[in-house]
Amino acid sequence: MHGKALRPGLKPLALATVLTLGGAYVLAFFYAPNDADQGFVQKIFYLHVPLAICALGGFIAGGVMAIGYLRTGEQRWDLRSYVAIHLSLIFAVATLITGSIWARASWGHWWVWQEPTLVSFLIIFLLYACYQPMRFAIEDPERQARYAAVFAVVAGAFVPLNFLAVRLANPLVHPRLLGSTGSLPPSMELTFVIAMVGMALLWVTLWKYEITAKQTSMQLRALKRRLAERAEMTLPAPAPRRSSAPRPTPAARPAEPVEL
Amino acid sequence: MSAVGALLRKDLRLELRTRESVPAMTLFSLSAFVVFHFGLQRSSLDGDLAAGVLWVTLLLAALLGVGRLFVTEREEGGFDAIRLAPVDPSAMLVAKALTLLSFLAIVQLVAVPGFGILLLGPSLLPALPGLLAVLALADVGIAVIGTLASALAVQTRARELIVALMGLPLLVPVVLAAARATAPLFSAGGASPPPLRWLGLLGLYDLVFALVAYAVFDYLLDD
């Protein structure tokens, strides 16, 4: 079965995530030095930046998976794309919160408009926040998948362009991380890289976990439906129930809700 | 090409007969200027404030038109017709984008002079050549993204809501670049030409989204 094929990888993956991410934060607190200007609060860097990168990467991955859906029409690609965007949205909320805390601590304000990275991130978050309202406002499931995929592709193309536009508009205040990691002392850099890997593993683990959960509940629903069908066929002689509690008329049994 | 022409003619004729979108958009723009006058407590604006007020108004007015762009197609079976007709479905994308573009142009024909009279401090005339370039580039972007957002939202239950929610973030870069390009045109010390990099950004945005829209539009039609 499909769900089973995924599950064996899940346990080692979860273990690796816990070890890497746990190790990263042990390093962040006990190995990496306090920042010279910002002091202790700079530790949030090991949480905030990996979250942000994973969220953006996840959005783009969701777009790529959506292309997979549009090309093949296979429902599992839609599921993957949906879960990727859904998960990245949660990561994005965490990014905005941690970023705001960091901004407050190091720049003195909860929100800084002059800062392109913050602003672009907010715009992207607002765009993806309407993925789910749009998706679930479409009734037909096949059309829902198709429209959601188109949205994911369009929004995926929007992510880099939006960063370009907002960055052009503003002077740079935000620490430039990608491409300037060389300025970090090696102990910080090592911690950051491990935290980054750990966060990426966390993303993948949660992604796989949610897909497995969704597939399992779909299988369960299909099985229940079949069971209900079978019960309907053999209705004249309903199977004895384990419970001896009095039940309503057996004729009403197959119509019982089978949803979970 | 002739399919695009036919669809465009159909849409313009429909608008001419029903007058559903353009008058509403125009009226909305003028009302918004009045609201801005009271909200900002200024009787004349210049520089970046003027550019911002103009572009926010034009954007919101455009969203009004975007919301209804595909409604008739859905309700009267236009989507089925284009699928049955032996033409490239992208013709509908091009035709709708051109329709929206012409709506925007007509609205701006009234709204921009209206803005010049009601709110703009410096004279509109010296700014006009530069402004026309910015308007043209930004309108193409609004038309392309508006068409895409409208096509995505038209099958949903809360159409108007989804258009606004999706259209606003997608159009932020257009407003950003257009407002930056327009600000020097409206400066109190006399108009200076719009910075090229903002025009370039608008052009790039138009191009990328035109390609994206072309690539995905077929999927919004086949059922």
Side-chain angles (χ1 to χ4, degrees), chain A residues 241-259:
Chain A
R241 294 261 162 183
R242 222 178 282 162
S243 155
S244 60
R247 293 259 170 181
T249 48
R253 184 80 8 93
E256 231 176 294
V258 286
E259 260 173 67

Side-chain angles (χ1 to χ4, degrees), chain A:
Chain A
M1 285 242 174
H2 205 76
K4 260 206 176 111
L6 274 172
R7 231 163 296 153
L10 209 49
K11 201 177 263 178
L13 199 59
L15 207 64
T17 306
V18 170
L19 287 179
T20 325
L21 210 54
Y25 292 113
V26 169
L27 285 181
F29 283 108
F30 298 109
Y31 169 65
N34 270 354
D35 188 81
D37 307 330
Q38 301 178 29
F40 182 72
V41 76
Q42 185 265 346
K43 304 271 186 217
I44 204 171
F45 156 85
Y46 303 109
L47 180 62
H48 169 73
V49 180
L51 273 172
I53 294 173
C54 284
L56 290 177
F59 284 142
I60 292 178
V64 174
M65 292 163 193
I67 295 177
Y69 174 75
L70 290 178
R71 293 188 75 118
T72 63
E74 285 170 22
Q75 196 244 340
R76 62 199 170 108
W77 281 109
D78 175 52
L79 180 66
R80 286 173 187 167
S81 166
Y82 168 75
V83 173
I85 290 177
H86 169 78
L87 196 59
S88 299
L89 206 52
I90 298 171
F91 273 55
V93 174
T95 307
L96 286 171
I97 294 171
T98 52
S100 205
I101 293 171
W102 194 10
R104 170 72 185 164
S106 74
W107 300 325
H109 297 280
W110 294 107
W111 189 255
V112 182
W113 278 113
Q114 287 77 33
E115 178 30 59
T117 316
L118 251 71
V119 178
S120 327
F121 203 89
L122 179 67
I123 298 168
I124 287 167
F125 168 73
L126 288 175
L127 177 65
Y128 276 98
C130 81
Y131 174 78
Q132 278 163 325
M134 192 212 78
R135 190 182 169 112
F136 295 120
I138 299 175
E139 270 142 35
D140 176 52
E142 196 272 333
R143 177 182 282 164
Q144 193 184 83
R146 197 149 36 78
Y147 275 56
V150 169
F151 178 95
V153 173
V154 172
F158 175 77
V159 169
L161 265 183
N162 177 60
F163 260 88
L164 172 73
V166 179
R167 180 157 295 181
L168 275 178
N170 283 288
L172 305 175
V173 184
H174 198 278
R176 291 279 85 77
L177 273 164
L178 297 175
S180 69
T181 354
S183 62
L184 284 177
S187 59
M188 281 184 168
E189 198 178 330
L190 178 71
T191 313
F192 172 71
V193 169
I194 295 176
M196 188 63 239
V197 172
M199 196 59 80
L201 279 172
L202 178 68
W203 192 94
V204 174
T205 310
L206 290 175
W207 179 72
K208 274 201 146 180
Y209 183 79
E210 196 179 341
I211 288 178
T212 312
K214 279 205 172 11
Q215 277 172 342
T216 312
S217 71
M218 267 189 269
Q219 274 170 12
L220 186 65
R221 226 174 299 151
L223 285 175
K224 285 201 165 176
R225 216 177 302 129
R226 269 173 49 197
L227 213 59
E229 274 165 19
R230 189 163 299 176
E232 205 163 340
M233 279 195 293
T234 58
L235 190 64
R241 294 261 162 183
R242 222 178 282 162
S243 155
S244 60
R247 293 259 170 181
T249 48
R253 184 80 8 93
E256 231 176 294
V258 286
E259 260 173 67
L260 258 198

